[in-house]
Amino acid sequence: MPRGKTAGKISGKPACQLLFSEALRQQKHPFAEVPPSPCSSMADGTQGTTMDRILQEISAVSRKLEGMDSVMVALTAETRSMRLDIADFQSQISGLDQRVATVETQVASWTDRDQELLHLRSKLINLEDRNRRNNVRPLGFPEGIEGTDLFSYLRETLPKLTEITFNPPLEFQRAYRLGPK
């Protein structure tokens, strides 16, 4: 039977009751039985037509609610998926935090090692520098013979004693006194 039209009674039920029970079936209403029609006491056609429009509007609202229900189910599923993704991201972030803490500890120990390495390098350079020097230890000179300038005395005396002419002249980097005066 088309909606919106009242054709009287079919199979002993008024038209508005048929539309109401049809609307309930479309909604998949949980009631097993169709409740008594609200228009069972209505006698004239105008009230039936009004009731048919109300039933049509209820049916339209029901369809909209079903559409909204499916949207809510989809949103719920998407929200659950997002929660799982967020939990996964949180576990990844905590793992990264642990790795960063480990790296920071290693970097701090590297800084200490770098300082120690710099200290050892300076010691090594000093030792290598001392090893490359041509150290001369003149012994047997009388005390105070060098006068006030030890370097000039050695530059003049050593070529005479060794009978070697130095070209370029001798160059001294350091001079130390050994023993007491």
Side-chain angles (χ1 to χ4, degrees), residues 14-25:
C16 64
Q17 187 175 1
L18 287 173
L19 287 176
F20 185 69
S21 62
E22 179 184 332
L24 286 177
R25 269 189 241 110

Side-chain angles (χ1 to χ4, degrees), residues 19 26 42 66 73 76 104 139 154 171 176:
L19 287 176
Q26 286 178 355
M42 295 182 197
E66 285 176 5
V73 167
T76 303
E104 286 174 344
L139 298 173
L154 289 175
E171 183 179 324
Y176 299 101

Side-chain angles (χ1 to χ4, degrees), residues 126-146:
N126 189 18
L127 287 173
E128 286 177 346
D129 187 35
R130 286 178 190 250
N131 233 4
R132 280 190 224 126
R133 292 182 194 154
N134 294 323
N135 293 329
V136 177
R137 229 181 209 184
L139 298 173
F141 287 97
E143 194 68 39
I145 198 167
E146 72 274 1

Side-chain angles (χ1 to χ4, degrees), residues 6 8 32-33 35 38-39 46 53 71 80 85 105 122 155 173 178:
T6 55
E33 297 178 13
C39 62
T46 58
R53 278 189 280 155
V71 169
R80 285 185 185 139
D85 289 344
T105 304
S122 68
R155 263 189 228 110
Q173 292 178 346
L178 296 176

